[in-house]
Amino acid sequence: MYPLKFQPILKSTLWGGEKIIPFKHLDSNQTQVGESWEISDVPGDESIVANGADAGKNLTQMVNEYKGALVGEANYKRFNGKFPLLIKFIDAQQDLSIQVHPNDELAMKRHNSMGKTEMWYVVDATANAHLRSGLSKAITPDEYAQMIADNTICDALKDYSIKPGDVFFLPAGRIHSIGAGSFIAEIQQTSNVTYRIYDFNRKDKNGNTRELHTELSKDAIDYTVYDDYRTNYTPKENEPVELVTCPYFTTTVYDLTEKMSMDYSELDSFVIYICMEGACTVTDNEGNTISLQAGESVLFPATTRSLEVVPEGKVKFLETYV
């Protein structure tokens, strides 16, 4: 197999901005693009291969055809032939609704779906950009429901000013909201189950507020309070810096100015690179070479044993696998 690029799935939203199209170097007049789904196996939103002999096939077909050779033998069995991760870029010009996602057990019971644990990497941010992650004080489920009713739920949430390079890990059950001015890369489980907790009483053009899922979310929330919900790490050049490791994905950031060899010979998983800055060329152990630039993502199949990354000046990318 060879490294795969996919056609982005662009989603215009009420809160979307105008950063994704130029960031991804796309020739498109689409406006208010809030999300680019880079690699997706969500039903109805399956990514289409953009390069090579498999161009035109969607990710579901690819997994069905190549099985463990694409995703890894253990992953193929564990996730019942589904691709386990969803990769996005998100550009928020306005605050998104406050949300929570159920864990695997609850999502399977209610929706026959995986839960959604995810992470954010801040690619860019305006001067006053912010986001919310986690509870700032202890509340009970009944107090939570009352705070939704009286519009005070934001008083119980941690609100962070953000800058490029900030990282937040969001296990299922953690209340969160992407704030205005945030441009992020998101890595998450393949799930589209979201409980909308609060939407600031916003109304659509017909004067209607959006549905809230207060009762569904009540027992999906993890009410544990932590001191800090930000992932703290020390940036380094030309060596891997692990950001998140959890049962669903491991993510590392690379900031390279010189050539680096990657050894995946002991890894039974696909590997995804998500590029935030600069450009590079990547050559695998079979001699396949692919270019990667800011705004692009590439999927290396589980058959990949090693990669050689050659930056064009400087490159910054996330590496993630299961």
Side-chain angles (χ1 to χ4, degrees):
M1 294 191 68
Y2 62 95
L4 301 168
K5 287 185 178 179
F6 295 88
Q7 298 172 15
I9 301 169
L10 304 178
K11 294 182 176 286
S12 291
T13 63
L14 288 172
W15 45 263
E18 305 301 334
K19 294 179 181 176
I20 285 177
I21 297 294
F23 178 68
K24 291 184 59 58
H25 312 280
L26 299 176
D27 182 12
S28 171
N29 295 321
Q30 192 169 337
T31 59
Q32 285 185 272
V33 177
E35 299 184 343
S36 173
W37 289 25
E38 297 287 289
I39 300 177
S40 168
D41 196 24
V42 173
D45 280 304
E46 298 90 349
S47 294
I48 305 294
V49 177
N51 65 317
D54 291 307
K57 296 178 183 176
N58 70 35
L59 187 51
T60 304
Q61 292 170 318
M62 293 292 289
V63 176
N64 289 340
E65 181 174 346
Y66 293 106
K67 302 180 171 61
L70 176 59
V71 299
E73 297 298 338
N75 287 335
Y76 185 76
K77 293 172 186 170
R78 175 185 172 192
F79 298 106
N80 298 313
K82 303 291 186 184
F83 192 81
L85 294 185
L86 171 57
I87 309 298
K88 299 178 182 178
F89 288 116
I90 299 176
D91 175 20
Q93 193 163 267
Q94 302 175 28
D95 286 357
L96 275 65
S97 61
I98 296 168
Q99 308 172 350
V100 74
H101 307 298
N103 61 22
D104 286 349
E105 183 181 5
L106 197 57
M108 189 56 63
K109 177 180 167 185
R110 290 179 175 172
H111 311 285
N112 193 33
S113 168
M114 287 193 282
K116 194 195 289 190
T117 286
E118 59 190 2
M119 69 165 284
W120 295 333
Y121 181 97
V122 179
V123 180
D124 196 11
T126 60
N128 52 1
H130 73 110
L131 53 78
R132 298 178 177 93
S133 178
L135 292 169
S136 60
K137 63 182 181 181
I139 57 173
T140 67
D142 287 341
E143 287 170 334
Y144 155 78
Q146 184 58 45
M147 293 181 88
I148 299 295
D150 61 22
N151 301 307
T152 59
I153 189 62
C154 291
D155 296 344
L157 303 180
K158 283 264 197 175
D159 198 326
Y160 290 88
S161 296
I162 56 170
K163 64 185 185 308
D166 283 352
V167 173
F168 291 83
F169 175 57
L170 304 156
R174 182 166 293 170
I175 298 180
H176 60 273
S177 171
I178 299 172
S182 305
F183 185 85
I184 67 173
E186 181 175 272
I187 298 166
Q188 60 162 87
Q189 288 178 266
T190 296
S191 168
N192 212 21
V193 179
T194 295
Y195 296 155
R196 188 181 301 115
I197 288 173
Y198 186 64
D199 197 37
F200 311 99
N201 286 326
R202 288 183 288 207
K203 294 180 172 62
D204 64 18
K205 60 185 178 183
N206 299 316
N208 300 314
T209 57
R210 292 204 290 175
E211 180 187 5
L212 302 181
H213 307 110
T214 306
E215 285 304 311
L216 282 173
S217 60
K218 205 171 173 181
D219 57 354
I221 292 169
D222 177 0
Y223 290 92
T224 309
V225 179
Y226 297 94
D227 291 336
D228 190 5
Y229 298 91
R230 196 193 312 257
T231 297
N232 294 300
Y233 69 100
T234 302
K236 297 175 183 175
E237 277 197 353
N238 299 313
E239 57 181 287
V241 179
E242 188 173 277
L243 303 176
V244 171
T245 182
C246 71
Y248 305 105
F249 51 82
T250 295
T251 302
T252 299
V253 63
Y254 288 87
D255 197 346
L256 303 183
T257 58
E258 57 190 45
K259 182 169 66 175
M260 179 171 282
S261 296
M262 313 291 202
D263 182 1
Y264 298 119
S265 58
E266 300 299 314
L267 184 66
D268 181 27
S269 173
F270 61 90
V271 177
I272 295 170
Y273 286 1
I274 309 157
C275 190
M276 263 78 61
E277 290 179 29
C280 62
T281 56
V282 187
T283 304
D284 69 13
N285 51 286
E286 296 180 13
N288 299 300
T289 296
I290 196 163
S291 62
L292 183 64
Q293 66 176 342
E296 288 188 321
S297 305
V298 63
L299 171 62
F300 299 97
T303 52
T304 304
R305 309 272 44 102
S306 64
L307 295 172
E308 184 173 86
V309 181
V310 180
E312 296 175 14
K314 181 177 180 178
V315 68
K316 180 181 289 187
F317 60 88
L318 299 178
E319 167 206 75
T320 194
Y321 57 82
V322 177

